[in-house]
Amino acid sequence: MLMQQKFDPQAVGSEAPVAKTFTGNRGLETEEGLIFETGRPENTGVDLDEPLPFKHRLGSLERQEPAGLPGLSEPESMRHYVRLSRLNYAIDAGIYPLGSCTMKHNPRLNEAMARLPGFADIHPLQPQSTVQGALELIAELAHWLMVMTGMDAVAMSPRAGAHGEACGMMAIKAAIAAKGEDQARKIVLVPESAHGTNPASAAVAGFEVRTVPARPDGTLDPAEVMRRLGPDAAAIMLTNPNTCGLFEKDVVELAALVHEAGAYFYCDGANFNAIMGKTRPGDLGVDAMHINLHKTFSTPHGGGGPGAGPVVLSSRLAPFAPVPFLRRDKGGFHLVEHKSEAPDSFGRIAAFHGQMGMFVRAFAYMLSHGADGLRQAAEDAVLNANYVRACLKDLMSGPFGDRLCLHEVLFDETWLRPTGLTTVDFAKAMIDEGFHPMTIYFPLVVHGAMLIEPTESESKASLDLFIAALRDLALAAKRGETERFVGAPYLAPRRRLDETRAARNPILKWKKPGG
Ligand SMILES: *Cc1c(COP(=O)(O)O)cnc(C)c1O
């Protein structure tokens, strides 16, 4: 049972005789400066012999001044990076409820497999005869991605979801050009609720984006799509389940309309984790869809680490897939790298063949779950999201009434308005409670959106604590305890930042004080 306590930010740490510590550290949480601030140029972590006299051949290019690199002893550099890593929030540290991002636990088995020397220590320029096992793993993974999606081909090289979108749009562009319609078909329809990467990818591929509004229930209306589909239509980009956490119930009809108009159906499959093992996009009429291995198949992401966004393609688009791709012949596997072997391919979108480590992790996740386990992961993700929804719906409003959701639950700011607080105030107060906030202000179509995706990783106990904390915060907001929110976070190493200024005026270069 959690005790209800009135929160007093002034009282936080008030028993301490000092408000500020000498070092700036808080307990064992240390303040870490930039490496340039703490390092001393004369210091080094290694002993190097003085070089013998030599004559350089750099001419006028020889450096005239010291490089100004920070110098630290070995333990100092070790500590610097370990301390920095502790400032990062991670799925290994707690629930990470970011909607649309699918922050699920990365099973350690996957890590062990990815570190096997035969996968971890290979080089993309190694002779293909020496990496047949790695190529076979890519082929097996590709096979199961096609089986799970009911599609005919898959491009493995895209490095992330957005990259996969660009790949899909380029395949569509090549298919349209092959029909001689590239001058006529320029329009890509994108629903208002789409992830920002969708219109960006269409634009990068040279298309013109036209937005389609959603119905009040958050899904797309075939009549609205029909009205915008003409001889100038190249494709629709539809997210399913969509970014409101809802399954597009008219998706089959939408696909038929798009195809009748001579256009292609791109599906943003970032949310495939909600439907894997339940629905095959190929059966819904999808022509191209990226799969975020780093979401659905649990490979680590966040903090800019590597992702992988394979794109499954229908038979209509398969001939236009990018190189390289794998082919198996009597000599084993070989990579088709050149247009001479794949004349309709739209070309290459990345150096080399994909993210090997991500492939190994995703494949390990698939094999360790099996078909029934993957289906259950999708079911549990949906169950967890609906559990959160059911436990909070009496306090927090949602935009679509009392409707079941898929893998993520969406709340809006209607319930907060009478309190004078905003979505960002509520999210920041969660940090003081030790929770990473949910995704806020996305999707853009919902005012003050709060999108929670618990994933299947969370136990009931972990969800119950999360829900209890949110209920406590929501009740405090309704009681008018605004102080708990407006200055939050009070307990984090950094308080509320001016995020707009940070984005508009990023200071990315350290300048030596007085230098
Ligand atoms: C995450 C996501 C993307 C982009 O994927 P990245 O791998 O981050 O590029 C696109 N669409 C939706 C709906 C997403 O959730």
Side-chain angles (χ1 to χ4, degrees), residues 99-102 159-163 165 194-198 239 241-243 268-271 290 292 294-295 301 307-309 442:
S100 207
C101 295
T102 315
R159 300 297 199 261
H163 201 204
E165 292 168 26
H195 198 268
T197 50
N198 287 194
T239 309
N242 69 24
T243 58
D268 180 328
N271 298 334
H290 72 266
N292 301 55
H294 48 290
K295 293 178 180 172
H301 67 300
F442 176 82

Side-chain angles (χ1 to χ4, degrees), residues 164-187:
E165 292 168 26
C167 170
M169 295 321 283
M170 285 161 142
I172 289 170
K173 196 171 185 184
I176 290 173
K179 288 195 272 185
E181 296 179 343
D182 42 332
Q183 289 313 309
R185 295 190 181 272
K186 295 270 186 206
I187 305 292

Side-chain angles (χ1 to χ4, degrees), residues 34-43 69-73 76 510:
L34 298 176
I35 198 165
F36 290 97
E37 292 166 340
T38 48
R40 287 93 53 210
E42 68 283 5
N43 226 47
L69 298 176
L72 290 92
S73 69
E76 280 173 329
W510 180 75

Side-chain angles (χ1 to χ4, degrees), residues 279-402:
T279 306
R280 298 191 309 167
D283 300 336
L284 306 178
V286 169
D287 291 306
M289 182 183 93
H290 72 266
I291 300 170
N292 301 55
L293 296 186
H294 48 290
K295 293 178 180 172
T296 301
F297 298 104
S298 87
T299 69
H301 67 300
V311 179
V312 286
L313 299 164
S314 66
S315 57
R316 287 155 35 101
L317 290 181
F320 307 99
V323 288
F325 55 84
L326 275 171
R327 197 167 267 165
R328 184 175 211 165
D329 48 35
K330 45 188 186 313
F333 290 97
H334 90 272
L335 285 156
V336 175
E337 300 259 18
H338 303 290
K339 297 268 277 182
S340 55
E341 275 187 277
D344 291 328
S345 165
F346 75 75
R348 178 182 287 271
I349 54 163
F352 306 127
H353 336 301
Q355 305 280 28
M356 192 65 210
M358 296 294 108
F359 293 164
V360 179
R361 290 177 177 92
F363 191 52
Y365 181 84
M366 276 185 187
L367 289 190
S368 55
H369 279 68
D372 55 338
L374 291 175
R375 189 180 311 118
Q376 194 189 331
E379 287 170 354
D380 289 351
V382 172
L383 180 65
N384 278 357
N386 278 290
Y387 182 62
V388 173
R389 192 186 63 81
C391 292
L392 293 174
K393 67 178 182 182
D394 59 325
L395 293 178
M396 296 165 65
S397 54
F400 309 118
D402 193 13

Side-chain angles (χ1 to χ4, degrees), residues 237-485:
M237 291 184 92
L238 180 64
T239 309
N240 194 29
N242 69 24
T243 58
C244 299
L246 305 172
F247 192 83
E248 291 286 353
K249 55 183 188 283
D250 297 311
V251 61
V252 173
E253 189 186 341
L254 286 165
L257 288 175
V258 168
H259 289 150
E260 261 164 46
Y264 292 90
F265 180 6
Y266 187 90
C267 180
D268 180 328
N271 298 334
F272 187 56
N273 59 308
I275 55 170
M276 63 177 169
K278 309 289 286 186
T279 306
R280 298 191 309 167
D283 300 336
L284 306 178
V286 169
D287 291 306
M289 182 183 93
H290 72 266
I291 300 170
N292 301 55
L293 296 186
H294 48 290
K295 293 178 180 172
T296 301
F297 298 104
S298 87
T299 69
H301 67 300
V311 179
V312 286
L313 299 164
S314 66
S315 57
R316 287 155 35 101
L317 290 181
F320 307 99
V323 288
F325 55 84
L326 275 171
R327 197 167 267 165
R328 184 175 211 165
D329 48 35
K330 45 188 186 313
F333 290 97
H334 90 272
L335 285 156
V336 175
E337 300 259 18
H338 303 290
K339 297 268 277 182
S340 55
E341 275 187 277
D344 291 328
S345 165
F346 75 75
R348 178 182 287 271
I349 54 163
F352 306 127
H353 336 301
Q355 305 280 28
M356 192 65 210
M358 296 294 108
F359 293 164
V360 179
R361 290 177 177 92
F363 191 52
Y365 181 84
M366 276 185 187
L367 289 190
S368 55
H369 279 68
D372 55 338
L374 291 175
R375 189 180 311 118
Q376 194 189 331
E379 287 170 354
D380 289 351
V382 172
L383 180 65
N384 278 357
N386 278 290
Y387 182 62
V388 173
R389 192 186 63 81
C391 292
L392 293 174
K393 67 178 182 182
D394 59 325
L395 293 178
M396 296 165 65
S397 54
F400 309 118
D402 193 13
R403 200 174 149 180
L404 288 175
C405 58
L406 285 185
H407 60 298
E408 51 196 359
V409 53
L410 181 56
F411 297 103
D412 64 15
E413 65 181 11
T414 314
W415 69 279
L416 263 181
R417 267 195 216 121
T419 68
L421 294 169
T422 61
T423 287
V424 71
D425 295 328
F426 188 76
K428 295 293 181 189
M430 287 170 66
I431 298 174
D432 284 332
E433 294 295 334
F435 288 110
H436 192 288
M438 66 290 263
T439 292
I440 55 172
Y441 299 108
F442 176 82
L444 303 177
V445 287
V446 171
H447 290 288
M450 298 178 219
L451 187 62
I452 301 176
E453 180 173 8
T455 82
E456 75 278 10
S457 307
E458 298 307 319
S459 65
K460 181 164 178 298
S462 136
L463 286 183
D464 282 340
L465 184 62
F466 176 70
I467 290 163
L470 288 194
R471 290 191 66 84
D472 187 64
L473 284 170
L475 288 168
K478 287 173 193 250
R479 281 195 305 268
E481 292 168 23
T482 51
E483 213 187 340
R484 179 167 172 186
F485 299 88

